[in-house]
Amino acid sequence: MSITIAELKNRNKDSYQLIDIRDAIEISHGAVPDAVVIPAEEIETSSEVDKDKLLVFVL
């Protein structure tokens, strides 16, 4: 499933969490404001992930 930036802007900010799974080099070219940086292999165990919200991944 994918979501556009426009669709995301129409959602309540409290209803989703942005999770950036890109590597440090990719992030250095443009970080996403308000995104939590978590390696993909740590998503299931990370305490930073709010599983009660829609998770939106930055790839």
Side-chain angles (χ1 to χ4, degrees):
M1 180 176 160
S2 64
I3 188 168
T4 66
I5 293 171
E7 291 170 330
L8 194 59
K9 285 183 177 183
N10 286 328
R11 288 185 162 267
N12 179 332
K13 280 190 145 196
D14 293 330
S15 70
Y16 64 87
Q17 181 180 31
L18 292 172
I19 300 178
D20 195 336
I21 62 170
R22 300 175 298 157
D23 63 36
I25 294 171
E26 292 173 309
I27 292 171
S28 72
H29 291 283
V32 177
D34 300 322
V36 178
V37 177
I38 303 173
E41 60 274 5
E42 295 177 19
I43 291 170
E44 287 187 37
T45 59
S46 175
S47 62
E48 293 185 80
V49 176
D50 187 344
K51 294 178 180 157
D52 292 327
K53 294 183 177 183
L54 172 67
L55 302 179
V56 179
F57 296 95
V58 180
L59 308 172

Coordinates of all heavy atoms in Angstrom, one line a residue:
M1 N 0.8 -1.2 0.0 CA 0.0 0.0 0.0 C 0.9 1.2 0.0 O 1.9 1.3 0.6 CB -0.9 0.0 1.3 CG -1.8 1.1 1.4 SD -2.8 0.9 2.8 CE -3.3 2.5 3.1
S2 N 0.5 2.2 -0.7 CA 1.3 3.5 -0.7 C 0.3 4.7 -0.5 O -0.9 4.6 -0.6 CB 2.0 3.7 -2.1 OG 1.1 3.8 -3.1
I3 N 0.9 5.8 -0.1 CA 0.2 7.0 0.2 C 1.0 8.2 -0.4 O 2.2 8.2 -0.3 CB 0.0 7.1 1.7 CG1 -1.0 8.3 2.0 CG2 1.3 7.3 2.5 CD1 -1.5 8.3 3.5
T4 N 0.3 9.1 -0.9 CA 0.9 10.3 -1.5 C 1.1 11.3 -0.4 O 0.5 11.3 0.7 CB 0.1 10.9 -2.6 OG1 -1.1 11.4 -2.1 CG2 -0.2 9.9 -3.7
I5 N 2.0 12.3 -0.6 CA 2.2 13.4 0.3 C 0.9 14.1 0.5 O 0.6 14.5 1.7 CB 3.3 14.3 -0.2 CG1 4.7 13.5 -0.1 CG2 3.4 15.5 0.7 CD1 5.8 14.2 -0.8
A6 N 0.2 14.4 -0.5 CA -1.1 15.1 -0.4 C -2.1 14.3 0.5 O -2.8 14.9 1.3 CB -1.7 15.3 -1.8
E7 N -2.2 13.0 0.3 CA -3.1 12.2 1.1 C -2.6 12.3 2.6 O -3.4 12.4 3.5 CB -3.1 10.8 0.7 CG -3.8 10.6 -0.7 CD -3.6 9.2 -1.3 OE1 -2.5 8.6 -1.0 OE2 -4.5 8.8 -2.0
L8 N -1.3 12.2 2.8 CA -0.8 12.3 4.2 C -1.1 13.6 4.8 O -1.4 13.6 6.0 CB 0.7 12.0 4.1 CG 1.4 11.7 5.4 CD1 0.8 10.4 6.1 CD2 2.9 11.5 5.2
K9 N -1.0 14.7 4.1 CA -1.3 16.0 4.6 C -2.7 16.1 5.1 O -3.0 17.0 5.9 CB -0.9 17.1 3.6 CG 0.6 17.3 3.5 CD 0.9 18.4 2.6 CE 2.4 18.7 2.5 NZ 2.8 19.8 1.7
N10 N -3.6 15.4 4.4 CA -5.0 15.4 4.8 C -5.4 14.6 6.0 O -6.5 14.7 6.5 CB -5.9 14.9 3.6 CG -5.9 16.0 2.5 OD1 -5.9 17.2 2.8 ND2 -6.0 15.5 1.3
R11 N -4.4 13.8 6.5 CA -4.7 13.0 7.7 C -4.3 13.8 9.0 O -3.4 14.7 8.9 CB -3.8 11.8 7.7 CG -4.3 10.8 6.7 CD -3.4 9.5 6.9 NE -4.1 8.4 6.2 CZ -4.9 7.5 6.9 NH1 -5.1 7.7 8.2 NH2 -5.5 6.5 6.3
N12 N -4.9 13.5 10.1 CA -4.5 14.0 11.4 C -3.1 13.6 11.7 O -2.8 12.4 11.7 CB -5.5 13.6 12.4 CG -5.2 14.1 13.8 OD1 -4.1 14.4 14.2 ND2 -6.3 14.2 14.6
K13 N -2.2 14.5 12.1 CA -0.8 14.1 12.4 C -0.7 13.1 13.5 O 0.3 12.4 13.6 CB 0.0 15.4 12.7 CG 0.5 16.1 11.5 CD 1.4 17.2 11.9 CE 2.5 17.3 10.8 NZ 3.7 18.0 11.2
D14 N -1.7 13.1 14.4 CA -1.7 12.2 15.5 C -2.1 10.8 15.1 O -2.1 9.9 15.9 CB -2.6 12.7 16.6 CG -2.0 14.0 17.3 OD1 -0.8 14.2 17.3 OD2 -2.9 14.8 17.7
S15 N -2.6 10.6 13.9 CA -3.1 9.3 13.5 C -2.0 8.4 12.8 O -2.3 7.2 12.5 CB -4.3 9.4 12.5 OG -3.8 9.9 11.3
Y16 N -0.8 8.9 12.6 CA 0.2 8.2 11.9 C 1.6 8.5 12.4 O 1.8 9.5 13.1 CB 0.2 8.4 10.4 CG 0.5 9.8 10.0 CD1 1.9 10.2 9.8 CD2 -0.4 10.8 9.8 CE1 2.2 11.5 9.4 CE2 -0.1 12.1 9.4 CZ 1.2 12.4 9.2 OH 1.5 13.7 8.8
Q17 N 2.5 7.6 12.1 CA 3.9 7.8 12.5 C 4.8 7.6 11.3 O 4.7 6.6 10.6 CB 4.4 6.9 13.6 CG 5.8 7.1 14.1 CD 6.2 6.1 15.2 OE1 5.7 5.0 15.3 NE2 7.1 6.5 16.0
L18 N 5.7 8.6 11.0 CA 6.6 8.4 9.9 C 7.9 7.7 10.4 O 8.5 8.1 11.5 CB 7.1 9.8 9.4 CG 6.0 10.7 8.7 CD1 6.5 12.1 8.5 CD2 5.6 10.0 7.5
I19 N 8.3 6.7 9.7 CA 9.4 5.9 10.1 C 10.4 5.9 8.8 O 10.0 5.4 7.8 CB 9.1 4.5 10.5 CG1 8.2 4.5 11.7 CG2 10.3 3.6 10.8 CD1 7.7 3.2 12.2
D20 N 11.5 6.4 9.0 CA 12.5 6.5 7.9 C 13.5 5.3 8.1 O 14.2 5.2 9.0 CB 13.3 7.8 8.0 CG 14.1 8.2 6.8 OD1 14.4 7.2 6.0 OD2 14.3 9.3 6.6
I21 N 13.5 4.4 7.1 CA 14.3 3.2 7.1 C 15.5 3.3 6.2 O 16.2 2.4 5.9 CB 13.5 1.9 6.9 CG1 12.9 1.9 5.5 CG2 12.5 1.7 7.9 CD1 12.3 0.6 5.1
R22 N 15.7 4.5 5.6 CA 16.8 4.7 4.7 C 18.2 4.7 5.5 O 18.2 4.9 6.7 CB 16.7 6.0 3.9 CG 15.4 6.1 3.1 CD 15.3 7.4 2.4 NE 15.1 8.5 3.5 CZ 15.4 9.8 3.3 NH1 15.8 10.2 2.1 NH2 15.2 10.6 4.3
D23 N 19.3 4.5 4.8 CA 20.6 4.5 5.4 C 21.0 6.0 5.6 O 20.5 6.9 5.1 CB 21.6 3.7 4.7 CG 21.9 4.2 3.3 OD1 22.0 5.4 3.1 OD2 22.2 3.4 2.4
A24 N 22.1 6.1 6.4 CA 22.6 7.5 6.8 C 23.0 8.3 5.6 O 22.8 9.5 5.6 CB 23.8 7.3 7.7
I25 N 23.5 7.7 4.5 CA 23.9 8.5 3.3 C 22.6 9.0 2.6 O 22.6 10.2 2.3 CB 24.7 7.6 2.3 CG1 26.0 7.2 3.0 CG2 24.9 8.3 1.0 CD1 26.9 6.2 2.2
E26 N 21.6 8.2 2.5 CA 20.4 8.7 1.9 C 19.7 9.8 2.7 O 19.2 10.8 2.2 CB 19.4 7.5 1.7 CG 19.8 6.5 0.7 CD 19.0 5.3 0.7 OE1 18.7 4.7 1.7 OE2 18.5 4.9 -0.4
I27 N 19.7 9.6 4.0 CA 19.1 10.6 4.9 C 19.9 11.9 4.9 O 19.3 13.0 4.9 CB 19.0 10.1 6.4 CG1 18.0 9.0 6.4 CG2 18.7 11.2 7.4 CD1 18.0 8.2 7.8
S28 N 21.2 11.9 4.7 CA 22.0 13.1 4.6 C 21.7 13.9 3.4 O 21.9 15.1 3.4 CB 23.5 12.7 4.6 OG 23.9 12.2 3.3
H29 N 21.1 13.3 2.4 CA 20.6 14.1 1.2 C 19.3 14.7 1.4 O 18.8 15.5 0.5 CB 20.6 13.1 0.0 CG 21.9 12.7 -0.5 ND1 22.8 13.5 -1.2 CD2 22.6 11.5 -0.3 CE1 23.9 12.8 -1.4 NE2 23.8 11.6 -0.9
G30 N 18.6 14.4 2.5 CA 17.3 15.0 2.8 C 16.6 14.3 3.8 O 16.0 13.2 3.5
A31 N 16.6 14.8 5.0 CA 15.9 14.1 6.1 C 14.4 14.5 6.1 O 14.1 15.6 5.6 CB 16.5 14.6 7.5
V32 N 13.6 13.7 6.5 CA 12.1 13.9 6.5 C 11.8 14.4 7.9 O 12.0 13.8 8.9 CB 11.3 12.6 6.2 CG1 9.8 12.9 6.3 CG2 11.7 12.1 4.9
P33 N 11.2 15.7 8.0 CA 10.9 16.2 9.3 C 9.9 15.3 10.0 O 9.0 14.8 9.4 CB 10.2 17.6 8.9 CG 10.7 17.9 7.6 CD 10.9 16.6 6.9
D34 N 10.1 15.2 11.3 CA 9.2 14.4 12.2 C 9.3 12.9 12.0 O 8.6 12.2 12.7 CB 7.7 14.9 12.1 CG 7.5 16.3 12.5 OD1 8.2 16.8 13.4 OD2 6.7 17.0 11.8
A35 N 10.2 12.4 11.1 CA 10.3 11.0 11.0 C 11.3 10.4 12.0 O 12.2 11.1 12.4 CB 10.8 10.7 9.6
V36 N 10.9 9.2 12.5 CA 11.8 8.5 13.4 C 12.7 7.6 12.5 O 12.2 6.9 11.7 CB 11.0 7.7 14.4 CG1 11.9 6.9 15.3 CG2 10.0 8.5 15.2
V37 N 14.0 7.7 12.8 CA 14.9 6.9 12.0 C 15.1 5.6 12.7 O 15.6 5.5 13.8 CB 16.3 7.6 11.8 CG1 17.2 6.7 11.0 CG2 16.0 8.9 11.0
I38 N 14.7 4.5 12.0 CA 14.9 3.1 12.6 C 15.2 2.2 11.5 O 14.6 2.1 10.5 CB 13.5 2.7 13.2 CG1 13.0 3.6 14.3 CG2 13.7 1.3 13.8 CD1 11.6 3.3 14.8
P39 N 16.3 1.4 11.7 CA 16.7 0.4 10.7 C 15.5 -0.6 10.5 O 14.9 -0.9 11.5 CB 17.9 -0.3 11.3 CG 18.5 0.7 12.2 CD 17.3 1.5 12.8
A40 N 15.3 -1.0 9.3 CA 14.2 -1.9 9.0 C 14.2 -3.2 9.9 O 13.1 -3.6 10.3 CB 14.2 -2.3 7.5
E41 N 15.4 -3.7 10.2 CA 15.4 -4.9 11.0 C 15.1 -4.7 12.5 O 14.9 -5.7 13.2 CB 16.8 -5.6 10.9 CG 18.0 -4.8 11.3 CD 18.5 -3.9 10.3 OE1 18.0 -3.7 9.1 OE2 19.5 -3.2 10.5
E42 N 14.9 -3.5 12.9 CA 14.6 -3.2 14.3 C 13.2 -2.7 14.5 O 12.8 -2.4 15.6 CB 15.6 -2.1 14.8 CG 17.0 -2.6 14.9 CD 18.0 -1.5 15.3 OE1 17.5 -0.5 16.0 OE2 19.2 -1.6 15.1
I43 N 12.4 -2.6 13.4 CA 11.0 -2.1 13.6 C 10.2 -2.9 14.5 O 9.5 -2.3 15.4 CB 10.4 -2.0 12.2 CG1 11.1 -0.9 11.4 CG2 8.9 -1.7 12.3 CD1 10.7 -0.8 9.9
E44 N 10.2 -4.2 14.4 CA 9.4 -5.0 15.3 C 9.7 -4.9 16.8 O 8.8 -5.1 17.6 CB 9.4 -6.5 14.8 CG 8.7 -6.7 13.5 CD 8.6 -8.2 13.2 OE1 8.5 -9.0 14.1 OE2 8.8 -8.5 12.0
T45 N 11.0 -4.6 17.1 CA 11.4 -4.6 18.5 C 11.6 -3.2 19.1 O 11.8 -3.1 20.3 CB 12.7 -5.4 18.7 OG1 13.7 -4.9 17.8 CG2 12.5 -6.9 18.3
S46 N 11.6 -2.2 18.3 CA 11.8 -0.9 18.7 C 10.7 -0.3 19.6 O 9.5 -0.4 19.2 CB 12.1 0.1 17.5 OG 12.2 1.4 18.0
S47 N 11.1 0.3 20.7 CA 10.1 0.9 21.6 C 9.7 2.3 21.0 O 8.7 2.9 21.5 CB 10.7 1.1 23.0 OG 11.8 2.0 22.9
E48 N 10.3 2.8 20.0 CA 10.0 4.0 19.3 C 8.8 3.9 18.4 O 8.2 4.9 18.0 CB 11.2 4.6 18.6 CG 12.3 5.0 19.5 CD 13.4 5.7 18.7 OE1 13.2 6.9 18.4 OE2 14.4 5.0 18.4
V49 N 8.5 2.7 18.0 CA 7.4 2.5 17.0 C 6.0 2.4 17.8 O 5.9 1.7 18.8 CB 7.6 1.1 16.3 CG1 6.4 0.9 15.4 CG2 8.8 1.2 15.5
D50 N 5.1 3.3 17.4 CA 3.8 3.3 18.0 C 2.9 2.5 17.1 O 2.3 2.9 16.1 CB 3.3 4.8 18.0 CG 2.0 4.9 18.8 OD1 1.3 3.9 19.0 OD2 1.6 6.0 19.2
K51 N 2.7 1.2 17.5 CA 1.9 0.3 16.8 C 0.4 0.5 16.8 O -0.4 -0.2 16.1 CB 2.2 -1.2 17.2 CG 3.7 -1.5 16.9 CD 4.1 -2.9 17.4 CE 5.5 -3.1 17.0 NZ 6.2 -4.1 17.8
D52 N 0.0 1.5 17.5 CA -1.4 1.9 17.5 C -1.8 2.9 16.4 O -2.9 3.3 16.3 CB -1.8 2.5 18.9 CG -1.8 1.5 20.0 OD1 -2.1 0.3 19.7 OD2 -1.4 1.9 21.1
K53 N -0.7 3.4 15.7 CA -0.9 4.3 14.7 C -0.6 3.7 13.3 O 0.0 2.6 13.2 CB 0.0 5.5 14.8 CG -0.2 6.3 16.1 CD 0.7 7.5 16.2 CE 0.4 8.4 17.4 NZ 1.2 9.6 17.4
L54 N -1.1 4.4 12.3 CA -0.7 4.0 10.9 C 0.8 4.2 10.7 O 1.2 5.3 11.0 CB -1.5 4.8 9.9 CG -1.1 4.7 8.4 CD1 -1.5 3.3 7.9 CD2 -1.8 5.7 7.6
L55 N 1.5 3.2 10.3 CA 3.0 3.4 10.1 C 3.2 3.7 8.7 O 2.8 3.0 7.8 CB 3.7 2.1 10.6 CG 3.5 1.7 12.0 CD1 4.2 0.4 12.3 CD2 3.9 2.7 13.0
V56 N 3.9 4.9 8.5 CA 4.2 5.3 7.1 C 5.7 5.3 7.0 O 6.4 6.0 7.7 CB 3.7 6.8 6.9 CG1 4.1 7.2 5.5 CG2 2.2 6.8 7.1
F57 N 6.2 4.4 6.1 CA 7.6 4.2 5.9 C 8.2 5.1 4.8 O 7.6 5.1 3.7 CB 7.9 2.7 5.6 CG 7.5 1.8 6.8 CD1 6.3 1.2 6.8 CD2 8.4 1.6 7.8 CE1 5.9 0.4 7.9 CE2 8.0 0.8 8.9 CZ 6.8 0.2 8.9
V58 N 9.3 5.7 5.1 CA 10.1 6.5 4.1 C 11.1 5.5 3.6 O 12.0 5.1 4.3 CB 10.7 7.7 4.8 CG1 11.5 8.5 3.7 CG2 9.6 8.6 5.4
L59 N 11.1 5.3 2.2 CA 12.0 4.4 1.6 C 13.0 5.1 0.7 O 12.7 6.0 0.0 CB 11.2 3.3 0.8 CG 10.1 2.6 1.5 CD1 9.3 1.7 0.5 CD2 10.7 1.7 2.6

